[in-house]
Amino acid sequence: MTSHARDYICGKPTKKGRPCTRTLHSWMVGFGFQYADGCWSHMSQPFQEAHDARKRADEEAWRAYLAADPICWGWPVPDDWDNWTCPQGEDINDQLSEAALAMIIGNPEARASAILRHWQDGRCAICGHRRELVEDHDHFTGLTRGYLCRGCNTQEGVYQGSRTLFGRYRRRHPTGILGLRIRYWDPFINDYAPPRTAETKQERWTDAASEGIGL
């Protein structure tokens, strides 16, 4: 064991009188860790109180977060998209040829996708952070709802309650706000995601297996 590793070992005497070899208990504070003076079983009362206070603060912050509205609800929405053209200098212009841009202008669905990307501007529709985004869609309609960071996309699938931040996002998502209709292209089936109804919805694991992703 290195001297650095030993710095994070409890070391307090156990009931048998031997030094405890468990790791010091710790919790996140900002971008670092707060280490107690012992493992979970041996840390002193002041550190237990500090840990409990931090846990309560985190729980209150998460409840407040779930009670908030999706950040995209506060983004300005242009009155009319009919005359919209992709502004010069944006990534989409840098990456696509003139022929591809002409196809977007002439294809309503491709144009709607370009509008959505332009409006979100690399921001997650729920938390607003500029992170790697994934395309979120409604599994019942097969239509795109917007772009989310991976964290929010995962949490959206966990928090199904309608009164949470994620429930409010599902009720009023970016394509709904903008009045856009974009079919979701499912990379697993290499086709547009088919719409589903409550009657035809299959069991989750059956769906996954049928879509060829190895489950």
PDB file of all heavy atoms in Angstrom, residues 102-135:
ATOM      1  N   ALA A 102     -29.557  23.747 -49.909  1.00  0.00           N
ATOM      2  CA  ALA A 102     -30.724  23.925 -50.769  1.00  0.00           C
ATOM      3  C   ALA A 102     -31.753  22.834 -50.507  1.00  0.00           C
ATOM      4  O   ALA A 102     -32.965  23.078 -50.523  1.00  0.00           O
ATOM      5  CB  ALA A 102     -30.301  23.925 -52.233  1.00  0.00           C
ATOM      6  N   MET A 103     -31.266  21.602 -50.253  1.00  0.00           N
ATOM      7  CA  MET A 103     -32.178  20.508 -49.956  1.00  0.00           C
ATOM      8  C   MET A 103     -32.916  20.768 -48.644  1.00  0.00           C
ATOM      9  O   MET A 103     -34.116  20.499 -48.520  1.00  0.00           O
ATOM     10  CB  MET A 103     -31.409  19.194 -49.847  1.00  0.00           C
ATOM     11  CG  MET A 103     -32.297  17.980 -49.564  1.00  0.00           C
ATOM     12  SD  MET A 103     -31.374  16.563 -48.961  1.00  0.00           S
ATOM     13  CE  MET A 103     -30.985  17.111 -47.301  1.00  0.00           C
ATOM     14  N   ILE A 104     -32.218  21.339 -47.648  1.00  0.00           N
ATOM     15  CA  ILE A 104     -32.851  21.637 -46.365  1.00  0.00           C
ATOM     16  C   ILE A 104     -33.960  22.663 -46.551  1.00  0.00           C
ATOM     17  O   ILE A 104     -35.058  22.534 -46.005  1.00  0.00           O
ATOM     18  CB  ILE A 104     -31.805  22.149 -45.353  1.00  0.00           C
ATOM     19  CG1 ILE A 104     -30.965  20.977 -44.847  1.00  0.00           C
ATOM     20  CG2 ILE A 104     -32.461  22.867 -44.182  1.00  0.00           C
ATOM     21  CD1 ILE A 104     -29.886  21.368 -43.893  1.00  0.00           C
ATOM     22  N   ILE A 105     -33.681  23.687 -47.315  1.00  0.00           N
ATOM     23  CA  ILE A 105     -34.683  24.731 -47.541  1.00  0.00           C
ATOM     24  C   ILE A 105     -35.898  24.152 -48.246  1.00  0.00           C
ATOM     25  O   ILE A 105     -37.040  24.534 -47.984  1.00  0.00           O
ATOM     26  CB  ILE A 105     -34.087  25.893 -48.362  1.00  0.00           C
ATOM     27  CG1 ILE A 105     -32.907  26.520 -47.600  1.00  0.00           C
ATOM     28  CG2 ILE A 105     -35.146  26.938 -48.658  1.00  0.00           C
ATOM     29  CD1 ILE A 105     -33.266  27.020 -46.213  1.00  0.00           C
ATOM     30  N   GLY A 106     -35.701  23.176 -49.171  1.00  0.00           N
ATOM     31  CA  GLY A 106     -36.806  22.615 -49.926  1.00  0.00           C
ATOM     32  C   GLY A 106     -37.495  21.443 -49.252  1.00  0.00           C
ATOM     33  O   GLY A 106     -38.545  21.006 -49.710  1.00  0.00           O
ATOM     34  N   ASN A 107     -36.921  20.924 -48.171  1.00  0.00           N
ATOM     35  CA  ASN A 107     -37.490  19.781 -47.469  1.00  0.00           C
ATOM     36  C   ASN A 107     -38.034  20.257 -46.123  1.00  0.00           C
ATOM     37  O   ASN A 107     -37.267  20.621 -45.228  1.00  0.00           O
ATOM     38  CB  ASN A 107     -36.410  18.708 -47.264  1.00  0.00           C
ATOM     39  CG  ASN A 107     -36.954  17.456 -46.599  1.00  0.00           C
ATOM     40  OD1 ASN A 107     -37.730  17.510 -45.657  1.00  0.00           O
ATOM     41  ND2 ASN A 107     -36.511  16.305 -47.097  1.00  0.00           N
ATOM     42  N   PRO A 108     -39.349  20.252 -45.924  1.00  0.00           N
ATOM     43  CA  PRO A 108     -39.933  20.796 -44.691  1.00  0.00           C
ATOM     44  C   PRO A 108     -39.395  20.147 -43.419  1.00  0.00           C
ATOM     45  O   PRO A 108     -39.146  20.834 -42.429  1.00  0.00           O
ATOM     46  CB  PRO A 108     -41.436  20.527 -44.866  1.00  0.00           C
ATOM     47  CG  PRO A 108     -41.639  20.455 -46.340  1.00  0.00           C
ATOM     48  CD  PRO A 108     -40.389  19.829 -46.877  1.00  0.00           C
ATOM     49  N   GLU A 109     -39.212  18.821 -43.454  1.00  0.00           N
ATOM     50  CA  GLU A 109     -38.747  18.149 -42.242  1.00  0.00           C
ATOM     51  C   GLU A 109     -37.279  18.462 -41.958  1.00  0.00           C
ATOM     52  O   GLU A 109     -36.886  18.685 -40.809  1.00  0.00           O
ATOM     53  CB  GLU A 109     -38.960  16.646 -42.359  1.00  0.00           C
ATOM     54  CG  GLU A 109     -38.886  15.927 -41.027  1.00  0.00           C
ATOM     55  CD  GLU A 109     -39.478  14.528 -41.114  1.00  0.00           C
ATOM     56  OE1 GLU A 109     -39.189  13.804 -42.080  1.00  0.00           O
ATOM     57  OE2 GLU A 109     -40.234  14.164 -40.195  1.00  0.00           O
ATOM     58  N   ALA A 110     -36.455  18.484 -43.010  1.00  0.00           N
ATOM     59  CA  ALA A 110     -35.052  18.838 -42.835  1.00  0.00           C
ATOM     60  C   ALA A 110     -34.919  20.290 -42.377  1.00  0.00           C
ATOM     61  O   ALA A 110     -34.070  20.627 -41.553  1.00  0.00           O
ATOM     62  CB  ALA A 110     -34.284  18.622 -44.135  1.00  0.00           C
ATOM     63  N   ARG A 111     -35.774  21.146 -42.921  1.00  0.00           N
ATOM     64  CA  ARG A 111     -35.768  22.555 -42.518  1.00  0.00           C
ATOM     65  C   ARG A 111     -36.179  22.684 -41.055  1.00  0.00           C
ATOM     66  O   ARG A 111     -35.605  23.472 -40.294  1.00  0.00           O
ATOM     67  CB  ARG A 111     -36.727  23.342 -43.414  1.00  0.00           C
ATOM     68  CG  ARG A 111     -36.723  24.849 -43.171  1.00  0.00           C
ATOM     69  CD  ARG A 111     -37.551  25.543 -44.249  1.00  0.00           C
ATOM     70  NE  ARG A 111     -37.543  26.992 -44.046  1.00  0.00           N
ATOM     71  CZ  ARG A 111     -38.362  27.634 -43.247  1.00  0.00           C
ATOM     72  NH1 ARG A 111     -39.279  26.969 -42.557  1.00  0.00           N
ATOM     73  NH2 ARG A 111     -38.290  28.947 -43.123  1.00  0.00           N
ATOM     74  N   ALA A 112     -37.174  21.894 -40.628  1.00  0.00           N
ATOM     75  CA  ALA A 112     -37.607  21.924 -39.235  1.00  0.00           C
ATOM     76  C   ALA A 112     -36.476  21.486 -38.313  1.00  0.00           C
ATOM     77  O   ALA A 112     -36.285  22.058 -37.230  1.00  0.00           O
ATOM     78  CB  ALA A 112     -38.828  21.027 -39.049  1.00  0.00           C
ATOM     79  N   SER A 113     -35.714  20.472 -38.718  1.00  0.00           N
ATOM     80  CA  SER A 113     -34.575  20.016 -37.923  1.00  0.00           C
ATOM     81  C   SER A 113     -33.521  21.105 -37.801  1.00  0.00           C
ATOM     82  O   SER A 113     -32.922  21.298 -36.734  1.00  0.00           O
ATOM     83  CB  SER A 113     -33.958  18.756 -38.541  1.00  0.00           C
ATOM     84  OG  SER A 113     -34.866  17.673 -38.515  1.00  0.00           O
ATOM     85  N   ALA A 114     -33.287  21.824 -38.907  1.00  0.00           N
ATOM     86  CA  ALA A 114     -32.312  22.914 -38.876  1.00  0.00           C
ATOM     87  C   ALA A 114     -32.785  24.036 -37.952  1.00  0.00           C
ATOM     88  O   ALA A 114     -31.991  24.632 -37.223  1.00  0.00           O
ATOM     89  CB  ALA A 114     -32.087  23.446 -40.297  1.00  0.00           C
ATOM     90  N   ILE A 115     -34.084  24.335 -37.989  1.00  0.00           N
ATOM     91  CA  ILE A 115     -34.641  25.360 -37.108  1.00  0.00           C
ATOM     92  C   ILE A 115     -34.471  24.957 -35.643  1.00  0.00           C
ATOM     93  O   ILE A 115     -34.088  25.774 -34.792  1.00  0.00           O
ATOM     94  CB  ILE A 115     -36.130  25.594 -37.436  1.00  0.00           C
ATOM     95  CG1 ILE A 115     -36.275  26.320 -38.777  1.00  0.00           C
ATOM     96  CG2 ILE A 115     -36.818  26.397 -36.323  1.00  0.00           C
ATOM     97  CD1 ILE A 115     -37.711  26.458 -39.253  1.00  0.00           C
ATOM     98  N   LEU A 116     -34.755  23.691 -35.343  1.00  0.00           N
ATOM     99  CA  LEU A 116     -34.631  23.213 -33.965  1.00  0.00           C
ATOM    100  C   LEU A 116     -33.195  23.333 -33.472  1.00  0.00           C
ATOM    101  O   LEU A 116     -32.947  23.826 -32.360  1.00  0.00           O
ATOM    102  CB  LEU A 116     -35.102  21.760 -33.879  1.00  0.00           C
ATOM    103  CG  LEU A 116     -34.963  21.090 -32.506  1.00  0.00           C
ATOM    104  CD1 LEU A 116     -35.825  21.797 -31.464  1.00  0.00           C
ATOM    105  CD2 LEU A 116     -35.335  19.608 -32.590  1.00  0.00           C
ATOM    106  N   ARG A 117     -32.240  22.906 -34.292  1.00  0.00           N
ATOM    107  CA  ARG A 117     -30.831  22.995 -33.893  1.00  0.00           C
ATOM    108  C   ARG A 117     -30.415  24.446 -33.709  1.00  0.00           C
ATOM    109  O   ARG A 117     -29.680  24.784 -32.776  1.00  0.00           O
ATOM    110  CB  ARG A 117     -29.937  22.304 -34.925  1.00  0.00           C
ATOM    111  CG  ARG A 117     -30.085  20.784 -34.950  1.00  0.00           C
ATOM    112  CD  ARG A 117     -28.938  20.149 -35.722  1.00  0.00           C
ATOM    113  NE  ARG A 117     -28.903  20.566 -37.106  1.00  0.00           N
ATOM    114  CZ  ARG A 117     -29.563  19.967 -38.091  1.00  0.00           C
ATOM    115  NH1 ARG A 117     -30.337  18.910 -37.810  1.00  0.00           N
ATOM    116  NH2 ARG A 117     -29.482  20.391 -39.321  1.00  0.00           N
ATOM    117  N   HIS A 118     -30.872  25.303 -34.602  1.00  0.00           N
ATOM    118  CA  HIS A 118     -30.543  26.731 -34.500  1.00  0.00           C
ATOM    119  C   HIS A 118     -31.115  27.330 -33.215  1.00  0.00           C
ATOM    120  O   HIS A 118     -30.431  28.063 -32.499  1.00  0.00           O
ATOM    121  CB  HIS A 118     -31.094  27.474 -35.718  1.00  0.00           C
ATOM    122  CG  HIS A 118     -31.070  28.968 -35.576  1.00  0.00           C
ATOM    123  ND1 HIS A 118     -29.898  29.699 -35.621  1.00  0.00           N
ATOM    124  CD2 HIS A 118     -32.075  29.863 -35.373  1.00  0.00           C
ATOM    125  CE1 HIS A 118     -30.178  30.986 -35.449  1.00  0.00           C
ATOM    126  NE2 HIS A 118     -31.486  31.105 -35.296  1.00  0.00           N
ATOM    127  N   TRP A 119     -32.365  27.007 -32.898  1.00  0.00           N
ATOM    128  CA  TRP A 119     -33.020  27.586 -31.721  1.00  0.00           C
ATOM    129  C   TRP A 119     -32.375  27.092 -30.427  1.00  0.00           C
ATOM    130  O   TRP A 119     -32.159  27.865 -29.499  1.00  0.00           O
ATOM    131  CB  TRP A 119     -34.508  27.235 -31.738  1.00  0.00           C
ATOM    132  CG  TRP A 119     -35.309  27.936 -30.688  1.00  0.00           C
ATOM    133  CD1 TRP A 119     -35.580  29.277 -30.621  1.00  0.00           C
ATOM    134  CD2 TRP A 119     -35.962  27.342 -29.565  1.00  0.00           C
ATOM    135  NE1 TRP A 119     -36.372  29.557 -29.522  1.00  0.00           N
ATOM    136  CE2 TRP A 119     -36.620  28.380 -28.853  1.00  0.00           C
ATOM    137  CE3 TRP A 119     -36.077  26.032 -29.093  1.00  0.00           C
ATOM    138  CZ2 TRP A 119     -37.363  28.139 -27.699  1.00  0.00           C
ATOM    139  CZ3 TRP A 119     -36.816  25.790 -27.949  1.00  0.00           C
ATOM    140  CH2 TRP A 119     -37.448  26.843 -27.264  1.00  0.00           C
ATOM    141  N   GLN A 120     -32.051  25.803 -30.368  1.00  0.00           N
ATOM    142  CA  GLN A 120     -31.430  25.281 -29.145  1.00  0.00           C
ATOM    143  C   GLN A 120     -29.971  25.717 -29.019  1.00  0.00           C
ATOM    144  O   GLN A 120     -29.447  25.820 -27.903  1.00  0.00           O
ATOM    145  CB  GLN A 120     -31.548  23.749 -29.087  1.00  0.00           C
ATOM    146  CG  GLN A 120     -32.963  23.275 -28.861  1.00  0.00           C
ATOM    147  CD  GLN A 120     -33.024  21.909 -28.177  1.00  0.00           C
ATOM    148  OE1 GLN A 120     -33.946  21.154 -28.419  1.00  0.00           O
ATOM    149  NE2 GLN A 120     -32.066  21.594 -27.318  1.00  0.00           N
ATOM    150  N   ASP A 121     -29.312  25.945 -30.140  1.00  0.00           N
ATOM    151  CA  ASP A 121     -27.964  26.516 -30.122  1.00  0.00           C
ATOM    152  C   ASP A 121     -27.007  25.736 -29.216  1.00  0.00           C
ATOM    153  O   ASP A 121     -26.238  26.313 -28.449  1.00  0.00           O
ATOM    154  CB  ASP A 121     -28.038  27.977 -29.684  1.00  0.00           C
ATOM    155  CG  ASP A 121     -26.727  28.729 -29.898  1.00  0.00           C
ATOM    156  OD1 ASP A 121     -25.954  28.310 -30.775  1.00  0.00           O
ATOM    157  OD2 ASP A 121     -26.470  29.717 -29.172  1.00  0.00           O
ATOM    158  N   GLY A 122     -27.077  24.394 -29.289  1.00  0.00           N
ATOM    159  CA  GLY A 122     -26.157  23.576 -28.518  1.00  0.00           C
ATOM    160  C   GLY A 122     -26.486  23.456 -27.044  1.00  0.00           C
ATOM    161  O   GLY A 122     -25.686  22.924 -26.266  1.00  0.00           O
ATOM    162  N   ARG A 123     -27.667  23.961 -26.639  1.00  0.00           N
ATOM    163  CA  ARG A 123     -28.049  23.933 -25.222  1.00  0.00           C
ATOM    164  C   ARG A 123     -29.053  22.815 -24.951  1.00  0.00           C
ATOM    165  O   ARG A 123     -29.938  22.558 -25.764  1.00  0.00           O
ATOM    166  CB  ARG A 123     -28.691  25.273 -24.824  1.00  0.00           C
ATOM    167  CG  ARG A 123     -27.811  26.483 -25.051  1.00  0.00           C
ATOM    168  CD  ARG A 123     -28.601  27.781 -24.923  1.00  0.00           C
ATOM    169  NE  ARG A 123     -29.589  27.916 -25.994  1.00  0.00           N
ATOM    170  CZ  ARG A 123     -30.410  28.954 -26.124  1.00  0.00           C
ATOM    171  NH1 ARG A 123     -30.354  29.935 -25.242  1.00  0.00           N
ATOM    172  NH2 ARG A 123     -31.273  28.991 -27.119  1.00  0.00           N
ATOM    173  N   CYS A 124     -28.933  22.191 -23.796  1.00  0.00           N
ATOM    174  CA  CYS A 124     -29.913  21.188 -23.379  1.00  0.00           C
ATOM    175  C   CYS A 124     -31.229  21.888 -23.085  1.00  0.00           C
ATOM    176  O   CYS A 124     -31.266  22.930 -22.426  1.00  0.00           O
ATOM    177  CB  CYS A 124     -29.417  20.462 -22.130  1.00  0.00           C
ATOM    178  SG  CYS A 124     -30.637  19.363 -21.361  1.00  0.00           S
ATOM    179  N   ALA A 125     -32.333  21.329 -23.577  1.00  0.00           N
ATOM    180  CA  ALA A 125     -33.640  21.970 -23.416  1.00  0.00           C
ATOM    181  C   ALA A 125     -34.124  21.967 -21.975  1.00  0.00           C
ATOM    182  O   ALA A 125     -34.978  22.780 -21.609  1.00  0.00           O
ATOM    183  CB  ALA A 125     -34.673  21.271 -24.300  1.00  0.00           C
ATOM    184  N   ILE A 126     -33.580  21.078 -21.141  1.00  0.00           N
ATOM    185  CA  ILE A 126     -34.032  20.999 -19.749  1.00  0.00           C
ATOM    186  C   ILE A 126     -33.135  21.805 -18.823  1.00  0.00           C
ATOM    187  O   ILE A 126     -33.605  22.681 -18.087  1.00  0.00           O
ATOM    188  CB  ILE A 126     -34.114  19.535 -19.281  1.00  0.00           C
ATOM    189  CG1 ILE A 126     -35.280  18.833 -19.994  1.00  0.00           C
ATOM    190  CG2 ILE A 126     -34.310  19.451 -17.760  1.00  0.00           C
ATOM    191  CD1 ILE A 126     -35.440  17.363 -19.623  1.00  0.00           C
ATOM    192  N   CYS A 127     -31.820  21.534 -18.841  1.00  0.00           N
ATOM    193  CA  CYS A 127     -30.921  22.219 -17.906  1.00  0.00           C
ATOM    194  C   CYS A 127     -30.222  23.422 -18.514  1.00  0.00           C
ATOM    195  O   CYS A 127     -29.694  24.267 -17.786  1.00  0.00           O
ATOM    196  CB  CYS A 127     -29.892  21.234 -17.342  1.00  0.00           C
ATOM    197  SG  CYS A 127     -28.650  20.686 -18.550  1.00  0.00           S
ATOM    198  N   GLY A 128     -30.179  23.522 -19.834  1.00  0.00           N
ATOM    199  CA  GLY A 128     -29.584  24.672 -20.495  1.00  0.00           C
ATOM    200  C   GLY A 128     -28.084  24.605 -20.668  1.00  0.00           C
ATOM    201  O   GLY A 128     -27.498  25.496 -21.291  1.00  0.00           O
ATOM    202  N   HIS A 129     -27.436  23.575 -20.162  1.00  0.00           N
ATOM    203  CA  HIS A 129     -25.980  23.478 -20.268  1.00  0.00           C
ATOM    204  C   HIS A 129     -25.556  23.075 -21.680  1.00  0.00           C
ATOM    205  O   HIS A 129     -26.267  22.365 -22.367  1.00  0.00           O
ATOM    206  CB  HIS A 129     -25.446  22.469 -19.261  1.00  0.00           C
ATOM    207  CG  HIS A 129     -25.548  22.930 -17.841  1.00  0.00           C
ATOM    208  ND1 HIS A 129     -25.794  22.084 -16.790  1.00  0.00           N
ATOM    209  CD2 HIS A 129     -25.459  24.173 -17.306  1.00  0.00           C
ATOM    210  CE1 HIS A 129     -25.840  22.765 -15.665  1.00  0.00           C
ATOM    211  NE2 HIS A 129     -25.653  24.035 -15.954  1.00  0.00           N
ATOM    212  N   ARG A 130     -24.403  23.566 -22.069  1.00  0.00           N
ATOM    213  CA  ARG A 130     -23.848  23.212 -23.380  1.00  0.00           C
ATOM    214  C   ARG A 130     -22.970  21.977 -23.213  1.00  0.00           C
ATOM    215  O   ARG A 130     -21.811  22.058 -22.838  1.00  0.00           O
ATOM    216  CB  ARG A 130     -23.041  24.372 -23.949  1.00  0.00           C
ATOM    217  CG  ARG A 130     -23.888  25.596 -24.260  1.00  0.00           C
ATOM    218  CD  ARG A 130     -23.051  26.700 -24.876  1.00  0.00           C
ATOM    219  NE  ARG A 130     -23.835  27.901 -25.104  1.00  0.00           N
ATOM    220  CZ  ARG A 130     -24.592  28.120 -26.169  1.00  0.00           C
ATOM    221  NH1 ARG A 130     -24.650  27.191 -27.115  1.00  0.00           N
ATOM    222  NH2 ARG A 130     -25.274  29.231 -26.303  1.00  0.00           N
ATOM    223  N   ARG A 131     -23.572  20.833 -23.459  1.00  0.00           N
ATOM    224  CA  ARG A 131     -22.873  19.561 -23.358  1.00  0.00           C
ATOM    225  C   ARG A 131     -23.171  18.750 -24.611  1.00  0.00           C
ATOM    226  O   ARG A 131     -23.894  19.215 -25.490  1.00  0.00           O
ATOM    227  CB  ARG A 131     -23.332  18.786 -22.117  1.00  0.00           C
ATOM    228  CG  ARG A 131     -23.046  19.495 -20.802  1.00  0.00           C
ATOM    229  CD  ARG A 131     -23.752  18.829 -19.646  1.00  0.00           C
ATOM    230  NE  ARG A 131     -23.436  19.451 -18.363  1.00  0.00           N
ATOM    231  CZ  ARG A 131     -24.169  19.331 -17.278  1.00  0.00           C
ATOM    232  NH1 ARG A 131     -25.286  18.615 -17.317  1.00  0.00           N
ATOM    233  NH2 ARG A 131     -23.817  19.916 -16.148  1.00  0.00           N
ATOM    234  N   GLU A 132     -22.622  17.552 -24.674  1.00  0.00           N
ATOM    235  CA  GLU A 132     -22.974  16.663 -25.783  1.00  0.00           C
ATOM    236  C   GLU A 132     -24.467  16.373 -25.713  1.00  0.00           C
ATOM    237  O   GLU A 132     -24.978  15.950 -24.677  1.00  0.00           O
ATOM    238  CB  GLU A 132     -22.179  15.359 -25.684  1.00  0.00           C
ATOM    239  CG  GLU A 132     -22.494  14.392 -26.819  1.00  0.00           C
ATOM    240  CD  GLU A 132     -21.782  13.061 -26.658  1.00  0.00           C
ATOM    241  OE1 GLU A 132     -21.048  12.904 -25.666  1.00  0.00           O
ATOM    242  OE2 GLU A 132     -21.970  12.194 -27.526  1.00  0.00           O
ATOM    243  N   LEU A 133     -25.176  16.625 -26.805  1.00  0.00           N
ATOM    244  CA  LEU A 133     -26.625  16.476 -26.820  1.00  0.00           C
ATOM    245  C   LEU A 133     -27.046  15.223 -27.589  1.00  0.00           C
ATOM    246  O   LEU A 133     -26.371  14.796 -28.527  1.00  0.00           O
ATOM    247  CB  LEU A 133     -27.273  17.704 -27.450  1.00  0.00           C
ATOM    248  CG  LEU A 133     -26.988  19.059 -26.787  1.00  0.00           C
ATOM    249  CD1 LEU A 133     -27.746  20.163 -27.514  1.00  0.00           C
ATOM    250  CD2 LEU A 133     -27.358  19.041 -25.308  1.00  0.00           C
ATOM    251  N   VAL A 134     -28.176  14.669 -27.170  1.00  0.00           N
ATOM    252  CA  VAL A 134     -28.795  13.552 -27.887  1.00  0.00           C
ATOM    253  C   VAL A 134     -30.214  13.959 -28.259  1.00  0.00           C
ATOM    254  O   VAL A 134     -30.826  14.808 -27.608  1.00  0.00           O
ATOM    255  CB  VAL A 134     -28.811  12.271 -27.031  1.00  0.00           C
ATOM    256  CG1 VAL A 134     -27.398  11.795 -26.750  1.00  0.00           C
ATOM    257  CG2 VAL A 134     -29.561  12.491 -25.722  1.00  0.00           C
ATOM    258  N   GLU A 135     -30.717  13.353 -29.310  1.00  0.00           N
ATOM    259  CA  GLU A 135     -32.064  13.673 -29.794  1.00  0.00           C
ATOM    260  C   GLU A 135     -33.097  12.878 -28.990  1.00  0.00           C
ATOM    261  O   GLU A 135     -33.086  11.651 -28.992  1.00  0.00           O
ATOM    262  CB  GLU A 135     -32.173  13.348 -31.277  1.00  0.00           C
ATOM    263  CG  GLU A 135     -33.450  13.853 -31.928  1.00  0.00           C
ATOM    264  CD  GLU A 135     -33.440  13.645 -33.430  1.00  0.00           C
ATOM    265  OE1 GLU A 135     -32.391  13.219 -33.960  1.00  0.00           O
ATOM    266  OE2 GLU A 135     -34.474  13.906 -34.072  1.00  0.00           O
TER     267      GLU A 135
END
